[in-house]
Amino acid sequence: MAESTDSERKPTPSAPAAAAQAQPDASFYNWSSFFSILSGQASQEDKQKYFLSRDLANEESDIKRVEKQRDWLFQNSPVIRFLRDEINKLGGDINPINVRCRRCTTAQGGGIDQDYGILICANHMRNQGHVEDTIAHEMVHAYDYLRFKVDRWNLRHQACTEIRASTLSGECRFTREFFTRGQWRFTQQLQECVRRRATLSLMARPSVKDDVHAARIVNEVWDSCFNDTRPFDEIYR
């Protein structure tokens, strides 16, 4: 959100049991709280209560909206259709049935598990373009798991697939960075975005000590992974 960080974690249920039992005060989801957040007057605790209340109130409509967008993309998106075909060639299949849309309580846009499939965090999706980028990101991971036998516990492997997913999904194209994330660089914009997002994703892993450790691992595999555009002939978007 802030921009959601995509990661290779096992998808979690829409909300832990404890969160489901402790329903937030619905009074936090109102215009007063919204403007307090906009003006910078809300505390971090109040922000969390507001966003949780909003996500709970909109859970059903968010999921239906993103499921409709997902289904349309599998029919009409060139990048999603191409990646699905390439994954099929390797003996896998990513389809609307195993791309599940749920409410997430963590700050991620999506995730993938080799047995479960892809999770899309419906409450974090801004629009159809964001859904497309997120599905494409996770599909690059799926391709890598099948094509390169990625070890989920090997940090260099994980850094490489994060670099490739951010490069090839389209989430780091100039317009996305410029209009959505307020990144104003004109030179090396793509590389800076990919490095930043790959480092953030790597930091979510328990065995990564800090941002310096994550950045070092990303740098170690950067040249070979950034320049590897398979299954595309070149960076598509």
Side-chain angles (χ1 to χ4, degrees), residues 8 112 137-145 148 150-151 154-168 198 202 205 221 225:
E8 240 36 54
I112 185 171
H137 180 111
E138 303 304 337
M139 290 181 82
V140 172
H141 288 320
Y143 176 89
D144 284 358
Y145 281 137
F148 304 116
V150 174
D151 180 353
N154 185 310
L155 292 178
R156 289 170 64 90
H157 286 193
Q158 292 301 311
C160 190
T161 192
E162 290 296 348
I163 290 168
R164 283 173 39 75
S166 289
T167 303
L168 301 173
L202 214 58
R205 291 164 173 80
V221 300
C225 299

Side-chain angles (χ1 to χ4, degrees), residues 54 68 153 224-225:
R54 179 201 63 183
K68 183 178 180 180
W153 307 114
S224 60
C225 299

Side-chain angles (χ1 to χ4, degrees), residues 18-219:
Q21 293 173 2
Q23 295 293 327
D25 185 347
S27 64
F28 278 93
Y29 184 43
N30 54 42
W31 284 110
S32 177
S33 297
F34 177 72
F35 285 115
S36 294
I37 292 172
L38 283 183
S39 63
Q41 298 177 359
S43 67
Q44 188 61 35
E45 181 181 0
D46 284 350
K47 289 180 184 178
Q48 292 174 345
K49 289 180 179 179
Y50 172 84
F51 289 118
L52 179 56
S53 297
R54 179 201 63 183
D55 289 348
L56 284 169
N58 297 332
E59 180 173 6
E60 184 177 354
S61 60
D62 283 343
I63 290 173
K64 286 183 178 178
R65 168 178 58 87
V66 176
E67 286 178 339
K68 183 178 180 180
Q69 293 168 338
R70 173 204 62 193
D71 293 346
W72 188 93
L73 290 166
F74 269 92
Q75 289 291 325
N76 299 285
S77 165
V79 66
I80 300 300
R81 289 168 59 109
F82 175 78
L83 284 169
R84 183 180 184 184
D85 287 344
E86 293 300 313
I87 290 168
N88 284 342
K89 292 176 185 177
L90 298 174
D93 185 29
I94 299 295
N95 57 71
I97 294 175
N98 58 22
V99 176
R100 297 170 173 86
C101 306
R102 300 288 186 270
R103 176 177 63 84
C104 297
T105 57
T106 52
Q108 64 189 97
I112 185 171
D113 181 83
Q114 290 165 287
D115 300 318
Y116 180 90
I118 289 175
L119 168 72
I120 302 299
C121 295
N123 51 318
H124 297 320
M125 295 295 103
R126 295 182 300 273
N127 51 44
Q128 184 165 285
H130 191 191
V131 176
E132 183 178 34
D133 289 349
T134 304
I135 294 175
H137 180 111
E138 303 304 337
M139 290 181 82
V140 172
H141 288 320
Y143 176 89
D144 284 358
Y145 281 137
L146 292 166
R147 176 66 176 78
F148 304 116
K149 310 304 180 186
V150 174
D151 180 353
R152 70 175 68 187
W153 307 114
N154 185 310
L155 292 178
R156 289 170 64 90
H157 286 193
Q158 292 301 311
C160 190
T161 192
E162 290 296 348
I163 290 168
R164 283 173 39 75
S166 289
T167 303
L168 301 173
S169 65
E171 67 191 23
C172 278
R173 61 189 177 277
F174 176 77
T175 51
R176 179 73 72 209
E177 282 283 273
F178 188 89
F179 292 108
T180 303
R181 305 184 187 112
Q183 300 293 327
W184 306 92
R185 288 174 178 259
F186 285 90
T187 59
Q188 299 292 305
Q189 172 272 326
L190 173 63
Q191 291 89 332
E192 290 296 326
C193 172
V194 172
R195 284 183 187 275
R196 182 181 75 250
R197 293 179 68 81
T199 299
L200 286 171
S201 292
L202 214 58
M203 285 171 60
R205 291 164 173 80
S207 55
V208 175
K209 299 174 184 177
D210 50 30
D211 59 336
V212 175
H213 184 202
R216 177 172 60 79
I217 297 170
V218 168
N219 287 333

